[in-house]
Amino acid sequence: LHLLEEWEDKVVVLRALQAGGIPVLPIVGAGPVTAEFPLIGKPRRGWGSQGVVTVASAAGFDAAVASDLDGRMFWQRKLAEFTAWSADFAIDERGRVSPLVLRERLRVSGGFAVVSRVDIAAPVGDVAFRTAMWLAARGACGIINVQVLVEPSGAQWVNDVNLRPGTSSGAALGAGVNLAAF
């Protein structure tokens, strides 16, 4: 599949990232659930945390799966605690990656970061850079936003990849990186 076709379905892109060695939360399949509860259900073609649901038990999961006849949702373990980060960067026509601007998502509304803090020494730098290089190798081009969740244990998970500027990517310009000019 072409990169843009893959991005129509979050399950396809998450599995592709995982196959490329990028850490993503495992996707829970239908059938007997061995994952810990609660689980979070997300629309395969959703954005901005719209349509996200949480189930707290196997019975709740079974009911949610049964009502999702056309398979619009996918399921992952709901993290009890995490810090959310975004990496904003650009990839040019030759596949070169701009400097990454890493920002902690301090306040979120409707899935969009409304208050962020730029941190050049962010703990997600390596995962974000590997993701950017993976995207460049796949032919991505333009301004891109990658979201990474960090658990207190230090585990990091790429949660979302947006082939578009992040809603707070203007912070990159304030940090001295002009993504549009790149």
Side-chain angles (χ1 to χ4, degrees):
L1 287 177
H2 184 273
L3 184 64
L4 290 175
E5 292 171 322
E6 288 178 351
W7 252 256
E8 291 180 10
D9 186 332
K10 289 180 183 275
V11 170
V12 172
V13 74
L14 289 173
R15 287 187 174 142
L17 285 164
Q18 187 175 34
I22 306 297
V24 300
L25 278 173
I27 295 170
V28 176
V33 180
T34 58
E36 297 176 29
F37 287 93
L39 296 177
I40 186 168
K42 303 174 186 177
R44 294 175 73 136
R45 300 181 193 285
W47 56 277
S49 75
Q50 303 296 311
V52 173
V53 297
T54 300
V55 296
S57 66
F61 177 72
D62 291 342
V65 169
S67 69
D68 183 26
L69 298 176
D70 53 0
R72 291 184 188 179
M73 302 292 286
F74 72 99
W75 299 89
Q76 295 173 304
R77 177 175 56 93
K78 183 175 183 180
L79 302 180
E81 189 177 342
F82 61 88
T83 304
W85 291 85
S86 278
D88 297 301
F89 54 92
I91 301 173
D92 72 9
E93 297 84 5
R94 289 181 265 171
R96 294 179 301 184
V97 177
S98 74
L100 277 64
V101 177
L102 306 171
R103 54 187 169 83
E104 183 179 3
R105 297 163 53 97
L106 300 172
R107 186 152 303 141
V108 178
S109 177
F112 299 100
V114 293
V115 178
S116 297
R117 177 183 62 86
V118 173
D119 184 349
I120 59 171
V124 298
D126 178 61
V127 167
F129 180 74
R130 288 189 300 132
T131 304
M133 297 305 292
W134 181 87
L135 289 164
R138 298 290 309 259
C141 183
I143 300 174
I144 297 172
N145 167 263
V146 172
Q147 296 174 18
V148 182
L149 307 179
V150 181
E151 292 186 272
S153 68
Q156 298 182 20
W157 310 103
V158 172
N159 184 55
D160 204 2
V161 179
N162 300 297
L163 293 178
R164 59 164 175 75
T167 55
S168 301
S169 65
L173 191 57
V177 180
N178 187 333
L179 298 176
F182 184 84

